[in-house]
mmCIF file of all heavy atoms in Angstrom:
data_model
loop_
_atom_site.group_PDB
_atom_site.id
_atom_site.type_symbol
_atom_site.label_atom_id
_atom_site.label_comp_id
_atom_site.label_asym_id
_atom_site.label_seq_id
_atom_site.Cartn_x
_atom_site.Cartn_y
_atom_site.Cartn_z
ATOM 1 N N VAL A 244 -3.255 13.896 9.052
ATOM 2 C CA VAL A 244 -3.592 14.392 10.458
ATOM 3 C C VAL A 244 -4.373 15.731 10.168
ATOM 4 O O VAL A 244 -5.375 16.056 10.857
ATOM 5 C CB VAL A 244 -2.239 14.755 11.252
ATOM 6 C CG1 VAL A 244 -2.590 15.665 12.442
ATOM 7 C CG2 VAL A 244 -1.613 13.506 11.599
ATOM 8 N N ALA A 245 -3.924 16.536 9.204
ATOM 9 C CA ALA A 245 -4.598 17.768 8.927
ATOM 10 C C ALA A 245 -6.100 17.430 8.503
ATOM 11 O O ALA A 245 -6.952 18.071 8.965
ATOM 12 C CB ALA A 245 -3.938 18.533 7.836
ATOM 13 N N MET A 246 -6.186 16.468 7.591
ATOM 14 C CA MET A 246 -7.621 16.085 7.203
ATOM 15 C C MET A 246 -8.500 15.681 8.378
ATOM 16 O O MET A 246 -9.659 16.095 8.544
ATOM 17 C CB MET A 246 -7.676 14.806 6.318
ATOM 18 C CG MET A 246 -7.224 15.048 4.885
ATOM 19 S SD MET A 246 -8.305 16.296 4.086
ATOM 20 C CE MET A 246 -9.676 15.300 3.930
ATOM 21 N N ALA A 247 -7.821 14.880 9.330
ATOM 22 C CA ALA A 247 -8.545 14.402 10.528
ATOM 23 C C ALA A 247 -9.068 15.670 11.369
ATOM 24 O O ALA A 247 -10.159 15.783 11.797
ATOM 25 C CB ALA A 247 -7.737 13.561 11.335
ATOM 26 N N ALA A 248 -8.124 16.547 11.558
ATOM 27 C CA ALA A 248 -8.305 17.780 12.230
ATOM 28 C C ALA A 248 -9.519 18.542 11.620
ATOM 29 O O ALA A 248 -10.426 19.052 12.385
ATOM 30 C CB ALA A 248 -7.064 18.587 12.431
ATOM 31 N N VAL A 249 -9.486 18.719 10.425
ATOM 32 C CA VAL A 249 -10.520 19.453 9.762
ATOM 33 C C VAL A 249 -11.813 18.764 9.953
ATOM 34 O O VAL A 249 -12.812 19.448 10.276
ATOM 35 C CB VAL A 249 -10.201 19.638 8.217
ATOM 36 C CG1 VAL A 249 -11.364 20.103 7.510
ATOM 37 C CG2 VAL A 249 -8.993 20.542 8.001
ATOM 38 N N THR A 250 -11.886 17.482 9.735
ATOM 39 C CA THR A 250 -13.148 16.805 9.990
ATOM 40 C C THR A 250 -13.649 16.959 11.357
ATOM 41 O O THR A 250 -14.819 17.164 11.582
ATOM 42 C CB THR A 250 -12.852 15.182 9.685
ATOM 43 O OG1 THR A 250 -11.983 15.111 8.569
ATOM 44 C CG2 THR A 250 -14.168 14.539 9.376
ATOM 45 N N ILE A 251 -12.724 16.752 12.293
ATOM 46 C CA ILE A 251 -13.214 16.884 13.673
ATOM 47 C C ILE A 251 -13.791 18.333 14.000
ATOM 48 O O ILE A 251 -14.915 18.399 14.553
ATOM 49 C CB ILE A 251 -12.072 16.589 14.691
ATOM 50 C CG1 ILE A 251 -11.661 15.122 14.574
ATOM 51 C CG2 ILE A 251 -12.394 16.940 16.006
ATOM 52 C CD1 ILE A 251 -10.387 14.773 15.270
ATOM 53 N N THR A 252 -13.129 19.289 13.531
ATOM 54 C CA THR A 252 -13.682 20.684 13.708
ATOM 55 C C THR A 252 -15.001 20.792 12.990
ATOM 56 O O THR A 252 -15.932 21.315 13.586
ATOM 57 C CB THR A 252 -12.718 21.622 13.045
ATOM 58 O OG1 THR A 252 -11.406 21.080 13.077
ATOM 59 C CG2 THR A 252 -12.723 22.966 13.841
ATOM 60 N N ALA A 253 -15.076 20.145 11.759
ATOM 61 C CA ALA A 253 -16.396 20.313 11.036
ATOM 62 C C ALA A 253 -17.502 19.587 11.824
ATOM 63 O O ALA A 253 -18.667 20.205 11.982
ATOM 64 C CB ALA A 253 -16.278 19.681 9.728
ATOM 65 N N VAL A 254 -17.238 18.422 12.393
ATOM 66 C CA VAL A 254 -18.194 17.643 13.121
ATOM 67 C C VAL A 254 -18.720 18.403 14.357
ATOM 68 O O VAL A 254 -19.900 18.572 14.615
ATOM 69 C CB VAL A 254 -17.681 16.315 13.426
ATOM 70 C CG1 VAL A 254 -18.708 15.611 14.474
ATOM 71 C CG2 VAL A 254 -17.611 15.489 12.180
ATOM 72 N N THR A 255 -17.758 18.942 15.073
ATOM 73 C CA THR A 255 -18.049 19.566 16.283
ATOM 74 C C THR A 255 -18.835 20.924 16.145
ATOM 75 O O THR A 255 -19.596 21.197 16.968
ATOM 76 C CB THR A 255 -16.846 19.905 17.227
ATOM 77 O OG1 THR A 255 -15.730 20.234 16.461
ATOM 78 C CG2 THR A 255 -16.437 18.578 18.084
ATOM 79 N N ALA A 256 -18.578 21.509 14.929
ATOM 80 C CA ALA A 256 -19.204 22.655 14.641
ATOM 81 C C ALA A 256 -20.708 22.410 14.202
ATOM 82 O O ALA A 256 -21.446 23.377 14.212
ATOM 83 C CB ALA A 256 -18.476 23.410 13.574
ATOM 84 N N CYS A 257 -20.911 21.203 13.943
ATOM 85 C CA CYS A 257 -22.286 20.835 13.504
ATOM 86 C C CYS A 257 -23.301 20.619 14.597
ATOM 87 O O CYS A 257 -24.279 19.862 14.360
ATOM 88 C CB CYS A 257 -22.360 19.601 12.576
ATOM 89 S SG CYS A 257 -21.732 20.036 10.883
ATOM 90 N N SER A 258 -23.101 21.150 15.719
ATOM 91 C CA SER A 258 -24.066 20.889 16.845
ATOM 92 C C SER A 258 -25.348 21.650 16.491
ATOM 93 O O SER A 258 -25.298 22.608 15.825
ATOM 94 C CB SER A 258 -23.500 21.374 18.167
ATOM 95 O OG SER A 258 -23.064 22.739 18.084
ATOM 96 N N PRO A 259 -26.413 21.043 16.934
ATOM 97 C CA PRO A 259 -27.743 21.674 16.433
ATOM 98 C C PRO A 259 -27.819 23.115 16.938
ATOM 99 O O PRO A 259 -27.472 23.480 18.053
ATOM 100 C CB PRO A 259 -28.774 20.853 17.203
ATOM 101 C CG PRO A 259 -28.060 20.186 18.276
ATOM 102 C CD PRO A 259 -26.716 19.982 17.848
ATOM 103 N N PRO A 260 -28.422 23.990 15.985
ATOM 104 C CA PRO A 260 -28.500 25.324 16.425
ATOM 105 C C PRO A 260 -29.579 25.607 17.479
ATOM 106 O O PRO A 260 -30.522 24.712 17.603
ATOM 107 C CB PRO A 260 -28.887 26.113 15.077
ATOM 108 C CG PRO A 260 -29.559 24.937 14.306
ATOM 109 C CD PRO A 260 -28.926 23.683 14.730
ATOM 110 N N GLU A 261 -29.402 26.608 18.261
ATOM 111 C CA GLU A 261 -30.435 26.922 19.310
ATOM 112 C C GLU A 261 -31.763 27.221 18.630
ATOM 113 O O GLU A 261 -31.839 27.958 17.669
ATOM 114 C CB GLU A 261 -29.960 28.154 20.126
ATOM 115 C CG GLU A 261 -28.890 27.826 21.174
ATOM 116 C CD GLU A 261 -29.425 27.005 22.274
ATOM 117 O OE1 GLU A 261 -30.472 27.408 22.862
ATOM 118 O OE2 GLU A 261 -28.835 25.916 22.603
ATOM 119 N N LYS A 262 -32.754 26.590 19.170
ATOM 120 C CA LYS A 262 -34.034 26.807 18.557
ATOM 121 C C LYS A 262 -34.605 28.178 19.034
ATOM 122 O O LYS A 262 -34.759 28.409 20.186
ATOM 123 C CB LYS A 262 -35.069 25.719 18.944
ATOM 124 C CG LYS A 262 -36.348 25.729 18.120
ATOM 125 C CD LYS A 262 -37.129 24.469 18.362
ATOM 126 C CE LYS A 262 -38.476 24.659 17.904
ATOM 127 N NZ LYS A 262 -39.309 25.486 18.879
ATOM 128 N N LYS A 263 -34.964 29.083 18.053
ATOM 129 C CA LYS A 263 -35.608 30.257 18.485
ATOM 130 C C LYS A 263 -37.076 29.967 18.748
ATOM 131 O O LYS A 263 -37.687 29.278 18.168
ATOM 132 C CB LYS A 263 -35.583 31.324 17.254
ATOM 133 C CG LYS A 263 -34.173 31.622 16.802
ATOM 134 C CD LYS A 263 -33.620 32.833 17.571
ATOM 135 C CE LYS A 263 -32.339 33.340 16.919
ATOM 136 N NZ LYS A 263 -31.235 32.316 17.033
ATOM 137 N N SER A 264 -37.536 30.658 19.858
ATOM 138 C CA SER A 264 -38.914 30.449 20.146
ATOM 139 C C SER A 264 -39.732 31.164 19.069
ATOM 140 O O SER A 264 -39.613 32.426 18.827
ATOM 141 C CB SER A 264 -39.250 31.001 21.502
ATOM 142 O OG SER A 264 -39.049 32.354 21.625
ATOM 143 N N GLU A 265 -40.596 30.381 18.441
ATOM 144 C CA GLU A 265 -41.363 30.966 17.371
ATOM 145 C C GLU A 265 -42.508 31.764 17.908
ATOM 146 O O GLU A 265 -43.623 31.244 18.171
ATOM 147 C CB GLU A 265 -41.951 29.909 16.422
ATOM 148 C CG GLU A 265 -40.768 29.296 15.579
ATOM 149 C CD GLU A 265 -41.062 27.847 15.213
ATOM 150 O OE1 GLU A 265 -42.260 27.500 15.054
ATOM 151 O OE2 GLU A 265 -40.085 27.027 15.137
ATOM 152 N N ALA A 266 -42.240 33.095 18.151
ATOM 153 C CA ALA A 266 -43.378 33.856 18.708
ATOM 154 C C ALA A 266 -44.353 34.237 17.711
ATOM 155 O O ALA A 266 -44.200 35.234 17.024
ATOM 156 C CB ALA A 266 -42.730 35.101 19.322
ATOM 157 N N THR A 267 -45.447 33.345 17.488
ATOM 158 C CA THR A 267 -46.417 33.600 16.575
ATOM 159 C C THR A 267 -47.429 34.599 17.058
ATOM 160 O O THR A 267 -47.886 35.496 16.388
ATOM 161 C CB THR A 267 -47.120 32.351 16.095
ATOM 162 O OG1 THR A 267 -47.342 31.592 17.278
ATOM 163 C CG2 THR A 267 -46.244 31.509 15.113
ATOM 164 N N THR A 268 -47.788 34.367 18.394
ATOM 165 C CA THR A 268 -48.595 35.316 19.097
ATOM 166 C C THR A 268 -48.084 35.685 20.384
ATOM 167 O O THR A 268 -47.150 35.142 20.838
ATOM 168 C CB THR A 268 -49.975 34.621 19.414
ATOM 169 O OG1 THR A 268 -49.715 33.554 20.297
ATOM 170 C CG2 THR A 268 -50.632 33.982 18.162
ATOM 171 N N ASP A 269 -48.641 36.818 20.861
ATOM 172 C CA ASP A 269 -48.136 37.244 22.227
ATOM 173 C C ASP A 269 -48.416 36.175 23.245
ATOM 174 O O ASP A 269 -47.650 36.031 24.189
ATOM 175 C CB ASP A 269 -48.930 38.536 22.606
ATOM 176 C CG ASP A 269 -48.348 39.628 21.776
ATOM 177 O OD1 ASP A 269 -47.308 39.458 21.029
ATOM 178 O OD2 ASP A 269 -48.999 40.763 21.735
ATOM 179 N N GLY A 270 -49.452 35.451 23.089
ATOM 180 C CA GLY A 270 -49.983 34.390 23.979
ATOM 181 C C GLY A 270 -48.775 33.388 24.229
ATOM 182 O O GLY A 270 -48.509 33.002 25.301
ATOM 183 N N ALA A 271 -48.186 32.868 23.135
ATOM 184 C CA ALA A 271 -47.155 31.898 23.198
ATOM 185 C C ALA A 271 -45.991 32.296 24.017
ATOM 186 O O ALA A 271 -45.300 31.528 24.753
ATOM 187 C CB ALA A 271 -46.782 31.396 21.849
ATOM 188 N N VAL A 272 -45.675 33.546 23.823
ATOM 189 C CA VAL A 272 -44.523 34.061 24.610
ATOM 190 C C VAL A 272 -44.763 34.101 26.078
ATOM 191 O O VAL A 272 -44.110 33.767 26.927
ATOM 192 C CB VAL A 272 -44.034 35.439 24.171
ATOM 193 C CG1 VAL A 272 -42.865 35.979 24.921
ATOM 194 C CG2 VAL A 272 -43.677 35.329 22.657
ATOM 195 N N SER A 273 -45.926 34.787 26.408
ATOM 196 C CA SER A 273 -46.214 34.943 27.795
ATOM 197 C C SER A 273 -46.605 33.644 28.430
ATOM 198 O O SER A 273 -46.469 33.595 29.643
ATOM 199 C CB SER A 273 -47.362 35.956 28.045
ATOM 200 O OG SER A 273 -48.482 35.615 27.219
ATOM 201 N N ALA A 274 -47.034 32.669 27.740
ATOM 202 C CA ALA A 274 -47.373 31.379 28.370
ATOM 203 C C ALA A 274 -46.155 30.853 29.035
ATOM 204 O O ALA A 274 -46.227 30.149 30.094
ATOM 205 C CB ALA A 274 -47.917 30.413 27.345
ATOM 206 N N ALA A 275 -45.036 30.998 28.464
ATOM 207 C CA ALA A 275 -43.712 30.477 29.037
ATOM 208 C C ALA A 275 -43.363 31.017 30.387
ATOM 209 O O ALA A 275 -42.671 30.539 31.126
ATOM 210 C CB ALA A 275 -42.587 30.619 28.019
ATOM 211 N N THR A 276 -43.946 32.291 30.608
ATOM 212 C CA THR A 276 -43.605 32.914 31.966
ATOM 213 C C THR A 276 -44.711 32.986 32.781
ATOM 214 O O THR A 276 -44.723 33.498 33.974
ATOM 215 C CB THR A 276 -43.043 34.340 31.623
ATOM 216 O OG1 THR A 276 -43.947 35.007 30.792
ATOM 217 C CG2 THR A 276 -41.688 34.241 31.028
#
Side-chain angles (χ1 to χ4, degrees):
Chain A
V244 171
M246 281 304 288
V249 167
T250 320
I251 290 166
T252 337
V254 169
T255 38
C257 281
S258 54
E261 282 289 307
K262 191 168 163 285
K263 298 271 190 299
S264 62
E265 290 153 29
T267 43
T268 61
D269 289 346
V272 178
S273 55
T276 52

